């Protein structure tokens, strides 16, 4: 089971939400969410790689810094440790369907930090093909514009509401 | 057989002599004739690559992707501590203080440096600026690019950080970076072509040993403006190419 989030790690806030998030493989996790956005660092790319099952095998320093976790808490963990409950499941289904077909996926993503805050990214994920075989996935995130963040905040809220009906 | 060596045209002009020194050093060490051809621009170099006229190349990451995937080149080394970073600069008196202050209709000055232009456009995405809502003017060199900005013919320019830092102090003082990339993972590489594949290991051993104490390669490194070379294995190169793939449209 993925490690539950801990109150002691949270950024101080008056807007704490607690919920149990279910993942594609049937696992669940207690997540704690505060309504705080951490700005994307200027000039940086957040880079990670996973194995074919979505287990993190590489994280660059920007990834570690923005996630709020230590590197050794991330390596070996499923990438969905970053999944924010405001993200519609359909977005991740589309991501995995696309990269599993061998294609590039791009989209706007709200990521959950260890401290319950979030950060928005424009993400690109591609399969790593070696000798004709997919050996993992590389994901690179860049800074999204504020206009796009606002647009996708509204869209995802609508999609999430539909999913929860 | 004479091998053909070339260098990505974005190399710093002050290191031209250094590449001739490297060529001489390499010929002596390998006992093979090597001809150094420095192309004036990227399109001339690409034509030479397409015509299989290149055996050894110090390539930028954008071209490295094509050389590995389409031409069967193998990267053997990368310059130590020299990642390719991009500076987005404006004239010092520009009202723009950050990328987000730049507006559609922006007059952009760029060189033909493909990876710099790719990363530069990505950095502008935060302001919702794209090729479609900006005007791009292409110039031949980074010095001309600086002059274009100082003459008010463009609002903003993309520089390879190394080239920006190499501008003369009076010119640099009249420009102001509004953003500098900190990607760290994208860098030039030294690649060996399929025609001289049998020399790959020897070449790698030679260049990696250049920085060793007592090596006669140290003076050559200095002439190239490098502190040494890091080993580049196939997976390092594939990773960088995957990264470049995520950045391309």
């Amino acid at each position: 089971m993925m490690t539950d989030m801990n109150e002691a790690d949270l950024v101080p806030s008056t807007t704490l939400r607690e919920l149990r998030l279910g993942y594609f493989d049937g696992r669940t996790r207690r997540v704690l969410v505060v309504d705080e956005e951490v700005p994307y660092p200027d000039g940086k790319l957040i880079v990670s790689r996973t194995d074919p099952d979505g287990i993190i095998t590489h994280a660059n320093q920007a990834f570690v810094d923005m996630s709020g976790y230590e590197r050794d808490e991330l390596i070996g963990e499923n990438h969905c440790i970053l999944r924010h409950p405001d993200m519609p499941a359909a977005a991740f289904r589309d991501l995995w369907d696309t990269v599993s077909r061998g294609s590039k996926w791009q989209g706007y993503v709200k990521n959950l930090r260890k401290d319950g805050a979030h950060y928005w990214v424009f993400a690109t994920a591609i399969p790593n093909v070696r000798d004709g075989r997919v050996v993992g996935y590389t994901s690179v995130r860049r800074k999204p514009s504020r206009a796009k963040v606002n647009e996708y905040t509204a869209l995802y809220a609508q999609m999430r509401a539909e999913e929860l009906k | 057989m004479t091998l053909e060596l070339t260098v990505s045209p974005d190399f710093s002009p002050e290191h031209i002599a250094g590449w001739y020194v490297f060529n001489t050093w390499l010929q002596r060490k390998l006992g093979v004739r090597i001809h150094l051809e420095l192309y004036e621009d990227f399109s001339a170099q690409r034509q030479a690559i397409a015509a299989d006229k290149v055996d050894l190349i110090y390539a930028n990451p954008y071209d490295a992707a094509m050389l590995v995937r389409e031409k069967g080149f193998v990267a053997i080394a990368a310059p130590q501590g020299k990642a390719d970073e991009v500076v987005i600069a404006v004239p010092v008196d520009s009202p723009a203080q950050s990328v987000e202050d730049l507006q559609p209709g922006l007059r952009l000055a760029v060189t033909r440096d493909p990876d710099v232009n790719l990363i530069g456009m990505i950095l502008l995405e935060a302001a919702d600026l794209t090729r479609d809502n900006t005007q791009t003017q292409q110039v031949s060199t980074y010095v001309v690019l600086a002059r274009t900005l100082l003459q008010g013919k463009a609002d903003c320019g993309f520089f390879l950080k190394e080239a920006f830092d190499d501008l003369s102090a009076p010119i640099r003082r009249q420009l102001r970076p509004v953003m500098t990339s900190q990607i760290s993972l994208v860098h030039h590489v030294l690649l060996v072509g399929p025609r001289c594949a049998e020399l790959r290991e020897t070449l790698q051993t030679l260049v990696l040993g250049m920085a060793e104490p007592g090596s006669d390669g140290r003076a050559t490194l200095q002439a190239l403006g490098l502190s040494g070379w890091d080993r580049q294995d196939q997976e390092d190169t594939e990773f960088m190419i995957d990264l470049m793939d995520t950045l391309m449209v």
Side-chain angles (χ1 to χ4, degrees):
Chain A
M1 192 172 114
M2 198 176 286
T3 319
D4 283 341
M5 290 178 73
N6 189 338
E7 280 93 344
D9 296 325
L10 298 185
V11 65
S13 170
T14 54
T15 61
L16 179 65
R17 272 192 287 156
E18 178 179 346
L19 57 158
R20 187 151 282 278
L21 201 57
Y23 298 103
F24 67 99
D25 56 2
R27 290 184 301 168
T28 64
R29 182 189 188 209
R30 176 197 187 215
V31 294
L32 302 169
V33 178
V34 295
D35 191 17
E36 298 281 340
E37 179 173 359
V38 175
Y40 190 103
D42 276 339
K44 296 199 177 181
L45 293 180
I46 296 174
V47 181
S48 62
R49 297 169 90 186
T50 71
D51 70 9
D53 297 323
I55 304 298
I56 300 169
T57 55
H58 168 96
N60 75 343
Q61 195 54 46
F63 184 102
V64 174
D65 292 345
M66 283 304 280
S67 73
Y69 291 94
E70 298 295 330
R71 187 181 299 276
D72 57 10
E73 291 178 292
L74 293 165
I75 304 298
E77 187 55 273
N78 194 290
H79 214 284
C80 59
I81 192 171
L82 300 179
R83 181 166 164 195
H84 196 286
D86 291 349
M87 282 297 295
F92 294 109
R93 206 174 307 125
D94 182 46
L95 187 164
W96 284 107
D97 286 350
T98 306
V99 293
S100 303
R101 282 199 309 269
S103 302
K104 181 191 288 191
W105 181 87
Q106 290 195 308
Y108 292 87
V109 180
K110 183 179 186 177
N111 280 328
L112 179 63
R113 291 166 49 94
K114 183 181 183 179
D115 63 9
H118 66 269
Y119 58 100
W120 277 93
V121 299
F122 177 55
T124 304
I126 57 161
N128 305 136
V129 182
R130 307 285 184 267
D131 300 321
R133 202 166 54 88
V134 174
V135 296
Y137 301 97
T138 295
S139 178
V140 177
R141 288 69 138 204
R142 44 217 227 209
K143 187 176 183 177
S145 74
R146 194 38 48 185
K148 289 289 183 195
V149 169
N150 293 339
E151 184 186 330
Y152 279 85
T153 299
L155 176 67
Y156 289 162
Q158 205 177 11
M159 288 169 71
R160 193 72 185 130
E162 286 293 321
E163 285 177 356
L164 293 173
K165 264 185 189 170
Chain B
M1 181 172 79
T2 300
L3 300 179
E4 295 289 330
L5 166 68
T6 187
V7 178
S8 178
D10 58 4
F11 64 88
S12 174
E14 67 181 274
H15 296 132
I16 290 179
W19 285 105
Y20 283 98
V21 173
F22 177 68
N23 188 40
T24 306
W25 181 86
L26 208 53
Q27 289 189 86
R28 190 159 44 81
K29 290 287 180 183
L30 275 178
V32 172
R33 282 206 312 197
I34 305 173
H35 168 245
L36 172 64
E37 184 77 46
L38 296 177
Y39 294 96
E40 260 185 35
D41 55 40
F42 287 94
S43 70
Q45 190 179 73
R46 293 233 176 86
Q47 282 173 23
I49 293 167
D52 296 325
K53 287 182 179 165
V54 174
D55 297 301
L56 302 169
I57 179 168
Y58 181 65
N60 66 68
Y62 192 97
D63 288 337
M66 174 266 290
L67 286 158
V68 171
R69 294 259 162 98
E70 296 170 28
K71 287 289 180 182
F73 277 65
V74 173
I76 57 166
Q80 229 163 50
K82 255 188 168 341
D84 286 3
E85 302 292 0
V86 173
V87 171
I88 298 184
V90 295
V92 73
D93 56 359
S94 163
Q97 297 299 316
S98 70
V99 159
E100 279 84 353
D101 293 333
L102 301 170
Q103 299 294 322
L106 181 79
R107 295 173 306 155
L108 195 57
V110 302
T111 63
R112 292 183 190 275
D113 204 335
D115 52 325
V116 170
N117 294 346
L118 180 70
I119 293 167
M121 286 314 294
I122 282 167
L123 296 177
L124 289 187
E125 284 174 353
D128 275 327
L129 295 174
T130 65
R131 294 247 177 257
D132 295 335
N133 61 8
T134 54
Q135 299 168 40
T136 303
Q137 181 184 159
Q138 207 158 51
V139 299
S140 54
T141 67
Y142 286 111
V143 173
V144 177
L145 174 52
R147 205 180 306 138
T148 305
L149 289 171
L150 298 184
Q151 290 168 345
K153 292 177 183 166
D155 306 312
C156 164
F158 296 161
F159 291 86
L160 182 67
K161 184 171 185 302
E162 191 184 356
F164 186 82
D165 293 342
D166 283 347
L167 292 172
S168 70
I171 290 180
R172 216 170 46 236
R173 272 198 295 274
Q174 295 176 72
L175 298 171
R176 176 162 45 81
V178 287
M179 192 183 278
T180 303
S181 72
Q182 300 170 66
I183 296 170
S184 310
L185 298 166
V186 175
H187 47 73
H188 281 53
V189 281
L190 185 63
L191 300 122
V192 178
R195 245 193 336 240
C196 53
E198 74 283 359
L199 292 173
R200 204 186 295 148
E201 275 183 36
T202 312
L203 267 164
Q204 190 174 45
T205 306
L206 276 175
V207 297
L208 294 180
M210 286 176 84
E212 281 173 10
S215 162
D216 63 352
R218 289 168 77 96
T220 305
L221 280 174
Q222 201 174 3
L224 291 171
L226 302 180
S227 58
W229 298 94
D230 285 329
R231 177 186 298 275
Q232 184 81 6
D233 65 28
Q234 188 64 15
E235 188 49 36
D236 296 331
T237 312
E238 292 285 356
F239 181 32
M240 189 171 78
I241 294 173
D242 283 336
L243 186 71
M244 294 304 289
D245 271 352
T246 70
L247 303 180
M248 290 179 199
V249 178

